[in-house]
Amino acid sequence: MKRKWLMTTGSGVLLAAAVSGAWMMESAPNVYSSKQPAGVTKTISVQTVSYESKAPETAGAASQGAGTAAAAPQSEAGAPGKTMPLQDTSFQKEKPGQIYYQNKVITLMYHEVTPGQKDKQSLDASKFEEQLKLMKSSGFQWITMNQYVDFVRHAKPVPPNAVLMTFDDGYESFYDDVYPLLLKYHVPATSFLIVNTIDNPKHVGIPKLSWEQVQTMHQSGVDFYSHSFDSHVYAPLDAKGNRSKAILRGPIYIKALGRKETTEEYVARVRRDLEQANAILNEKIGNTMNVIAFPYGAFSPALLRVCKDLNMPVSFTVLPGINRPGGLNGYRVNAGGADNDPQALIAMMKKGAVSAGKKATSGKSGISHASGSKPEPPSDRRMTPGLMMD
């Protein structure tokens, strides 16, 4: 697969990266790593798009800062520039004989999707396409993030069998291998970006998107929101480093200070990270609504309060379930990985996202309902529903 790296010239990105880097070097040298410590798994004013009406024209702000956009992949709707915008979901028609649930939304979660099976955490693109075909033929109806936010915040109606498609981490393969299929089947989708990894060749790990690619896809209707600025990592909880946690979840050990962060220091750090991510997304693609998918799905009451203070009340975990109005901290069903069976996924979705032998979760894990965070992920990176990672 062709990997393209573009050095960023956006002053906001450079400034944010410099601020983040300075804090990390001063406060916690040698603490952060994009890799897990040994034995530890890396285990949003809203313009509503009604499914009964046409979508609005793409906001001019979506292309702010964009250079010469790369040509969009060909879709079955016609040549690039003549495709139906992905934000327009009016093409979907209700099928009365195929209604499995109403006034609820299943949010599907994906990570890397590529041709062939790269590893156990990625999904073969052929399986992804089969999923899309089955969802369409079975009467599932894809909705946009705007629709979802209006649904959970204000109980605005969504179509029966509503499905929200989400992708984590911002892999370059999302542009190469997923975006063409989104255009082909006219699927609105959201990608959650680790913002400091975009156009950043110094950031280790699987190659990520460029801002040019993000802007091109955004002009076609793909939404992009925060997966943090650069907090998709684990850090030690003590000097020995025997225990660690996802750094958005709570205070961590700061080697330079020889102690663990205070609650106030933790909250300030989290606020800086989320503010940086939101500011850059606003600068690069004109976002005026802020949404976040928490890295590893890990959250805390303090983190949820920061999100609310920063006008980003809608968030996502990696806990499986189905979403209802009021569920501001949403559930997501893991639809990726080597073990995925498209037929089994569709069968589970028809049952309201409930696996055999399990009861449906309430869908109300939002800020007003949260009492804490999810358990730490297991140490083997298995594709357990709700425990996916970069």
Side-chain angles (χ1 to χ4, degrees), residues 267-287:
V267 169
R269 170 172 58 80
V270 166
R271 179 183 290 272
R272 283 194 299 270
D273 181 279
L274 302 189
E275 284 180 326
Q276 283 182 283
N278 291 342
I280 294 170
L281 287 167
N282 173 265
E283 175 196 344
K284 291 293 185 180
I285 57 175
N287 275 9

Side-chain angles (χ1 to χ4, degrees), residues 15-29 272 276:
L15 176 60
V19 172
S20 177
W23 181 86
M24 290 164 63
M25 289 298 291
E26 178 180 350
S27 304
R272 283 194 299 270
Q276 283 182 283

Side-chain angles (χ1 to χ4, degrees), residues 101-160:
Y101 55 88
Q102 300 186 71
N103 201 37
K104 302 173 186 176
V105 177
I106 291 177
T107 300
L108 297 183
M109 175 178 64
Y110 299 87
H111 286 71
E112 189 162 36
V113 178
T114 61
Q117 193 63 57
K118 294 183 61 176
D119 54 46
K120 291 183 178 181
Q121 285 73 48
S122 66
L123 177 68
D124 190 295
S126 63
K127 285 188 176 181
F128 178 64
E129 183 166 16
E130 185 179 354
Q131 289 178 0
L132 298 182
K133 290 179 179 178
L134 289 171
M135 278 186 255
K136 193 168 185 177
S137 65
S138 298
F140 288 98
Q141 303 200 59
W142 299 299
I143 65 171
T144 68
M145 183 61 77
N146 277 357
Q147 287 175 283
Y148 177 83
V149 170
D150 270 354
F151 168 71
V152 295
R153 295 193 68 188
H154 309 299
K156 294 292 183 66
V158 290

Side-chain angles (χ1 to χ4, degrees), residues 138-189:
S138 298
F140 288 98
Q141 303 200 59
W142 299 299
I143 65 171
T144 68
M145 183 61 77
N146 277 357
Q147 287 175 283
Y148 177 83
V149 170
D150 270 354
F151 168 71
V152 295
R153 295 193 68 188
H154 309 299
K156 294 292 183 66
V158 290
N161 310 331
V163 178
L164 179 67
M165 305 287 284
T166 67
F167 299 78
D168 285 4
D169 304 329
Y171 296 118
E172 187 182 48
S173 56
F174 181 77
Y175 180 82
D176 294 334
D177 305 312
V178 176
Y179 180 46
L181 292 175
L182 298 180
L183 290 176
K184 180 178 179 180
Y185 292 96
H186 202 70
V187 185

